[in-house]
Amino acid sequence: MAASVYGAETPVDAADSERTSFRRAEKKYKLYKSLLPKSRRKTNAVKPTLDLTKVVDFRAAINETPPHRMGIIRVDCHDFDQPVFGLIDHPGFYFIPSALSIEEQCHWVRESLQSFPQPPNRTNLTAFYGPIFDLFDAAQNQKVLSNLENLGNCQGETQKEEMDSCKHPPIPATKLLRKLRWSTLGLQFDWSMRNYNISLLHNEIPEQLCELTKKMASPAMSSGEEFHPEAAIVNYYGPGDMLGGHVDDMEADWTRPIVSISLGCKAVFLLGGKTRNDDPIAMYVRSGDIVLMAGEARECFHGVPRIFTDEENAEIASLATQFTSKDDKFILDYIRNSRININIRQVT
């Protein structure tokens, strides 16, 4: 699941009959905020009921033999010691529920916030603010950052006065951290050219993440073959964020899976077909779940229309119990209403 354009809350702009099947599903699950000014919102307004009866729950299928749920099949994987599920109508799609332990989840949440956005890795903030070192530490310590350069608007500037005009005013690091939407590891993806730019400086994908990914990718690999992690995109979702329907098509060999690791708040993931007119399947992805998409599944539209940030539905109680120290309070406050998704790919 690549970092596509995140959708803000938008008004309904067309009749359902004019929408594609995928767009209608996004609309159904998306979290909309009132477009009225606060002074005009009804404090006693009844919240619309969200129909979740058709959302596939792979964790609930673990104890069912065979799983008696909508199109779910259990995948027999030799030398793989965790339950793996697929969908009858989506060959190449694999779901590994609760793939990561709580300790592993905590580790990768920390890495995603502290290490992965570190330059020379690029983020969505880089083009506007330049490379920002130790953003998480600055936010945790309530620092205000200054002398950040708007690189996107200052290309070719030479005069000092002109360069000074491209400086951003001081900005709280906490605000910048909440603006973080993606970071990149390994080979860097060039969003303007829509390809991988091997000339860009980057930090290698950590060996521990590589080893984890190789193991988890094995259900989608042919016998005797090994997955080679070369690039990763880390998505950061805040309250109300979504990931629009898209297809990941920039890698050379689609038989190799994308390995997608979910962390933090529960979300709804949509898996459609090869066109937006195909009805998508909605499913829950929770912290610690892993999704693999290979072969035909790589050609399918997919997206994340909804994350659950309320205490009742976020389902991060087990994760939250691990962030109990004073130094972890900032991480806990962040992850209580956020989701992180690490997507690892073999490029060549």
Side-chain angles (χ1 to χ4, degrees):
M1 290 170 278
S4 182
V5 177
Y6 281 80
E9 290 73 15
T10 54
V12 176
D13 54 7
D16 278 0
S17 60
E18 297 175 354
R19 298 181 185 273
T20 64
S21 294
F22 200 96
R23 182 66 186 91
R24 285 197 295 271
E26 288 180 318
K27 176 178 177 288
K28 174 181 178 179
Y29 293 108
K30 184 177 178 179
L31 176 65
Y32 286 92
K33 292 181 179 178
S34 172
L35 299 179
L36 294 174
K38 288 184 178 180
S39 60
R40 294 178 57 195
R41 295 178 191 173
K42 297 180 180 179
T43 56
N44 61 344
V46 177
K47 294 182 179 179
T49 302
L50 178 62
D51 181 8
L52 299 171
T53 56
K54 293 186 178 181
V55 180
V56 174
D57 190 342
F58 285 98
R59 290 196 183 183
I62 291 178
N63 297 321
E64 298 178 355
T65 308
H68 300 289
R69 293 175 184 269
M70 294 173 282
I72 297 177
I73 56 174
R74 191 180 292 267
V75 181
D76 183 20
C77 301
H78 297 291
D79 301 322
F80 194 82
D81 57 359
Q82 294 177 266
V84 181
F85 297 96
L87 294 169
I88 293 174
D89 296 329
H90 287 80
F93 175 84
Y94 303 86
F95 196 106
I96 312 174
S98 304
L100 303 185
S101 68
I102 293 296
E103 291 74 21
E104 288 175 311
Q105 293 172 47
C106 291
H107 174 78
W108 294 119
V109 167
R110 288 191 177 94
E111 289 295 291
S112 297
L113 292 172
Q114 297 175 325
S115 301
F116 294 168
Q118 286 284 73
N121 292 342
R122 296 191 304 160
T123 76
N124 62 297
L125 303 175
T126 304
F128 301 98
Y129 299 100
I132 305 173
F133 289 88
D134 303 319
L135 174 60
F136 178 83
D137 291 341
Q140 187 174 31
N141 292 303
Q142 301 293 311
K143 291 184 177 180
V144 175
L145 302 182
S146 57
N147 297 321
L148 298 176
E149 293 183 6
N150 190 337
L151 300 184
N153 293 329
C154 294
Q155 302 298 324
E157 301 284 7
T158 55
Q159 299 296 322
K160 180 180 183 303
E161 293 80 5
E162 292 172 325
M163 288 300 297
D164 287 344
S165 69
C166 291
K167 299 286 187 182
H168 284 280
I171 184 170
T174 52
K175 185 174 182 179
L176 281 182
L177 184 65
R178 277 301 179 183
K179 286 186 174 184
L180 184 65
R181 288 295 176 267
W182 54 262
S183 62
T184 48
L185 304 172
L187 296 178
Q188 301 287 286
F189 190 78
D190 188 331
W191 296 100
S192 60
M193 302 300 294
R194 287 192 57 76
N195 62 19
Y196 290 93
N197 188 339
I198 61 175
S199 67
L200 292 174
L201 292 176
H202 59 270
N203 293 327
E204 296 296 331
I205 299 175
E207 184 61 29
Q208 186 177 355
L209 183 57
C210 286
E211 291 304 314
L212 172 65
T213 305
K214 289 177 183 179
K215 174 186 175 183
M216 293 298 169
S218 60
M221 301 294 294
S222 299
S223 178
E225 293 189 345
E226 185 178 76
F227 182 73
H228 298 289
E230 296 176 299
I233 299 174
V234 186
N235 300 135
Y236 304 85
Y237 298 77
D241 283 344
M242 65 171 290
L243 186 64
H246 65 284
V247 174
D248 298 311
D249 56 2
M250 290 297 107
E251 291 72 40
D253 186 352
W254 288 9
T255 65
R256 300 297 189 259
I258 289 179
V259 182
S260 177
I261 302 172
S262 289
L263 302 167
C265 293
K266 182 177 72 176
V268 172
F269 174 63
L270 293 178
L271 176 65
K274 296 181 181 180
T275 75
R276 295 181 188 272
N277 289 319
D278 296 320
D279 290 332
I281 297 173
M283 64 194 77
Y284 291 122
V285 284
R286 297 177 174 88
S287 191
D289 292 343
I290 288 181
V291 167
L292 310 176
M293 295 180 68
E296 289 188 36
R298 289 289 303 268
E299 303 177 54
C300 295
F301 281 88
H302 56 279
V304 180
R306 177 71 168 262
I307 70 167
F308 297 91
T309 57
D310 58 292
E311 187 175 350
E312 180 182 358
N313 294 298
E315 297 189 22
I316 62 164
S318 297
L319 186 61
T321 59
Q322 303 299 307
F323 295 114
T324 56
S325 71
K326 181 179 179 181
D327 292 338
D328 285 338
K329 184 180 183 303
F330 191 79
I331 295 179
L332 177 60
D333 290 342
Y334 180 93
I335 208 65
R336 270 180 175 152
N337 61 1
S338 304
R339 175 178 183 259
I340 298 172
N341 188 219
I342 307 173
N343 306 283
I344 305 96
R345 302 112 185 285
Q346 181 173 328
V347 175
T348 56

